[in-house]
Amino acid sequence: MKTNTLQNVADFSGTILIPVFETYSKSIVPITFNGLEITSKVFFGKKDTHYLAEKNNNAYVFIGLGKEIDYKSLKTIFRRISSKQKENFSSNVALVIPEQFTQDQVEAVVSGLLLGTYDLGHFKSEKNAHPFLSADFTLNLVSEKDYLATAKKGIKIAKAQLATYNLVDLPPNTINPKYLANWAKETGEKYGFDVEVLGHDAAKIVGLGAFLAVGKGSENEPQFIIMNYTPAADVEHLKHVGLVGKGITFDTGGLNIKTAGMLHMKCDMAGGGAVFGAMQLIADLQLPVKVTAIVPCAENSVDAKSFLPSDVIHSYSGNSIEIIDTDAEGRLILADGLSYLIKNFKPEYIVDIATLTGSSVSTFGYECGALFTNNTEMAKKLQENGDAIGERLWPLPLWDVYKSDIESDIADVKNYSGKPVAGAISAAKFLEYFTQEHKAWAHLDVAGVAFGDDEFAKSKHATGYGVHLLTKFIENL
């Protein structure tokens, strides 16, 4: 998608998008634009409405925004227009930016337009290409202000989210740990971050025992992916952020096999997908922050070699773990990811993100992710940045009273409390155990928001949650 600027649309030929804030529904004053008049009986800018008109070989799409609009709604509205009105788009589109629009609103609009090109039908024999993806497509910005840099940022955000859509939505016989390792290497070369991958033998040598235990039952070799981004320019007081994402490419539950919901377990690497997308975006934006990201990738399968309930395994940290439930596998690979990150890279800030527990879904539904941290400043910043873009978080406690949930008789800790309550909290306490009391660590349980149902497909699919949130948090440190 190329971007350009126009002062007006007097001599324009193509599709013209006109965002309209809501006016009085019974107003006698029509909405006017470039010689077109629309009465309030037909269209008055109500949210989630649009009006299509044709004149002088141009298609005019008036888009209702309501009385006021937030970032996420604005992005969704323009994704909807792009996705469901694509037959009305030419290869030349003009976006008329209202005077009262902010930079963030322009970013949301442009990002939404590009997200509307996403097609979940990856393997359909017949596909209709979106006009925005043609080589000669140009998006023209019509405004008295210069929004070109903002529009380009919106495109970069959307490209990173689209990359995550693909990783999370493609089937497990395509997206396996090796695929993700190769994706990381290729993306690192393209955008400018270093990638190191530890396969089975290398992981065994360094002692990633919890990580390797999870992948024992799969024919697909686990891959421990380490990514490092350092800004090209010299930065005074360079901050260092560590990210860890759960990369379970498919989760059967292991020998504690799932009895429901297994169909969607190709999405169990959505936390890792968010970290991959964030690394692409951070490097693409050339943020002045050092970032080290780890995504332990494995497949939790059922086999004679699978790890067993009651096994005691040894983690990278040196601590032993009693396995109560093989379906509590995500916290095992994250434990080794966190320990490895802290010991070898020593970041100032750490955020891990994972589709970790059904308990977080039971608590919050599909509206926000669960946030765990003892660092009040990080909690505030993560929530503020999430609220700004519609990727919301809400805190749950890490009180020491929950420590008993992970106490084991035979090992240092156990991986599951065995209780039908406080599952998200006990999982967070388990992860906290492996952070070595790091003073700036946050855990995001995004099981309810990383994939789900919406108007853009008939089946559950990726939301891209976390890509923009992690990047914005790092950008605003």
Side-chain angles (χ1 to χ4, degrees):
M1 180 187 283
K2 298 186 293 293
T3 52
N4 194 7
T5 56
L6 293 173
Q7 289 298 313
N8 57 64
V9 293
D11 300 317
F12 183 78
S13 178
T15 306
I16 303 172
L17 304 178
I18 309 105
V20 179
F21 283 98
E22 186 174 335
T23 60
Y24 184 50
S25 61
K26 296 182 180 179
S27 173
I28 61 173
V29 180
I31 293 172
T32 62
F33 180 84
N34 205 33
L36 281 171
E37 289 192 354
I38 309 171
T39 69
S40 63
K41 293 180 180 180
V42 175
F43 175 82
F44 57 94
K46 185 179 180 181
K47 187 178 177 182
D48 297 332
T49 65
H50 72 275
Y51 180 79
L52 177 66
E54 293 186 27
K55 185 178 181 179
N56 300 328
N57 295 319
N58 285 341
Y60 295 82
V61 186
F62 294 83
I63 302 158
L65 305 181
K67 293 179 180 178
E68 55 185 35
I69 193 78
D70 61 90
Y71 188 101
K72 183 179 181 181
S73 296
L74 191 56
K75 195 169 182 174
T76 301
I77 285 170
F78 278 83
R79 181 181 177 186
R80 180 186 305 123
I81 290 293
S82 173
S83 175
K84 300 184 179 181
Q85 300 296 321
K86 66 181 181 181
E87 68 277 4
N88 294 313
F89 286 107
S90 65
S91 60
N92 209 18
V93 171
L95 171 64
V96 180
I97 300 174
E99 289 182 10
Q100 62 268 53
F101 257 28
T102 65
Q103 298 279 351
D104 284 347
Q105 288 173 321
V106 175
E107 177 186 287
V109 167
V110 174
S111 189
L113 287 172
L114 185 52
L115 288 181
T117 65
Y118 183 66
D119 184 356
L120 191 59
H122 294 284
F123 297 97
K124 287 184 177 290
S125 54
E126 294 184 11
K127 297 179 70 172
N128 295 320
H130 198 291
F132 285 9
L133 300 179
S134 65
D136 59 346
F137 175 79
T138 302
L139 176 65
N140 301 277
L141 308 177
V142 183
S143 173
E144 294 180 359
K145 300 177 184 177
D146 184 3
Y147 288 109
L148 196 57
T150 301
K152 287 180 178 179
K153 183 178 180 181
I155 290 170
K156 290 177 179 180
I157 292 168
K159 282 183 175 179
Q161 290 177 319
L162 286 168
T164 297
Y165 286 178
N166 284 322
L167 294 177
V168 177
D169 285 336
L170 283 166
N173 58 337
T174 297
I175 302 291
N176 56 39
K178 193 70 175 178
Y179 182 103
L180 293 177
N182 290 334
W183 184 94
K185 290 176 183 177
E186 292 168 5
T187 305
E189 288 180 7
K190 180 177 180 180
Y191 288 93
F193 57 88
D194 298 324
V195 179
E196 180 187 5
V197 178
L198 305 181
H200 177 275
D201 292 345
K204 188 173 182 178
I205 289 169
V206 300
L208 294 165
F211 164 67
L212 290 173
V214 174
K216 282 175 63 178
S218 174
E219 66 177 6
N220 291 308
E221 181 184 0
Q223 306 280 289
F224 194 84
I225 302 170
I226 306 158
M227 297 167 281
N228 271 294
Y229 163 77
T230 304
D234 291 334
V235 179
E236 190 176 359
H237 307 303
L238 182 68
K239 294 185 183 297
H240 186 190
V241 180
L243 303 175
V244 183
K246 176 184 172 183
I248 297 293
T249 56
F250 195 81
D251 181 21
T252 66
L255 291 179
N256 291 110
I257 197 163
K258 291 181 183 292
T259 56
M262 200 191 301
L263 175 64
H264 304 119
M265 285 301 100
K266 67 177 183 178
C267 300
D268 208 22
M269 45 69 67
V275 170
F276 285 133
M279 286 300 288
Q280 174 180 316
L281 182 53
I282 289 161
D284 203 8
L285 295 174
Q286 281 293 297
L287 296 187
V289 181
K290 178 177 173 60
V291 182
T292 301
I294 293 179
V295 182
C297 297
E299 188 177 82
N300 188 24
S301 297
V302 180
D303 185 82
K305 296 179 181 179
S306 297
F307 71 130
L308 309 174
S310 78
D311 272 355
V312 174
I313 62 175
H314 293 274
S315 67
Y316 180 80
S317 68
N319 297 108
S320 56
I321 305 169
E322 180 186 8
I323 303 303
I324 303 299
D325 192 326
T326 61
D327 196 22
E329 85 299 330
R331 65 199 70 181
L332 298 175
I333 67 169
L334 290 174
D336 272 1
L338 287 165
S339 297
Y340 192 91
L341 177 71
I342 292 166
K343 180 179 179 180
N344 296 285
F345 298 100
K346 300 176 175 61
E348 297 170 63
Y349 304 89
I350 300 173
V351 182
D352 77 69
I353 181 169
T355 52
L356 205 61
T357 68
S359 173
S360 69
V361 187
S362 299
T363 304
F364 293 126
Y366 307 102
E367 302 305 321
C368 72
L371 166 64
F372 297 88
T373 180
N374 282 325
N375 186 303
T376 54
E377 182 184 355
M378 281 189 76
K380 181 181 178 183
K381 292 294 184 183
L382 282 164
Q383 284 188 277
E384 285 176 351
N385 286 293
D387 287 345
I389 59 172
E391 296 187 9
R392 303 175 78 179
L393 293 164
W394 197 256
L396 288 175
L398 277 172
W399 300 326
D400 279 346
V401 69
Y402 292 104
K403 271 187 177 179
S404 61
D405 285 352
I406 61 167
E407 290 175 353
S408 167
D409 289 327
I410 194 171
D412 293 321
V413 287
K414 60 185 179 183
N415 78 326
Y416 179 60
S417 69
K419 301 175 184 177
V421 295
I425 299 174
S426 60
K429 291 301 289 184
F430 179 86
L431 295 179
E432 183 187 42
Y433 184 86
F434 295 91
T435 63
Q436 299 175 20
E437 298 183 347
H438 196 284
K439 301 301 181 185
W441 161 72
H443 160 57
L444 313 183
D445 189 337
V446 297
V449 288
F451 59 97
D453 298 299
D454 62 28
E455 63 190 278
F456 298 108
K458 296 176 182 178
S459 57
K460 286 184 183 295
H461 57 282
T463 65
Y465 183 102
V467 175
H468 197 183
L469 171 63
L470 293 172
T471 305
K472 196 171 182 67
F473 167 72
I474 292 169
E475 184 180 24
N476 290 328
L477 274 176

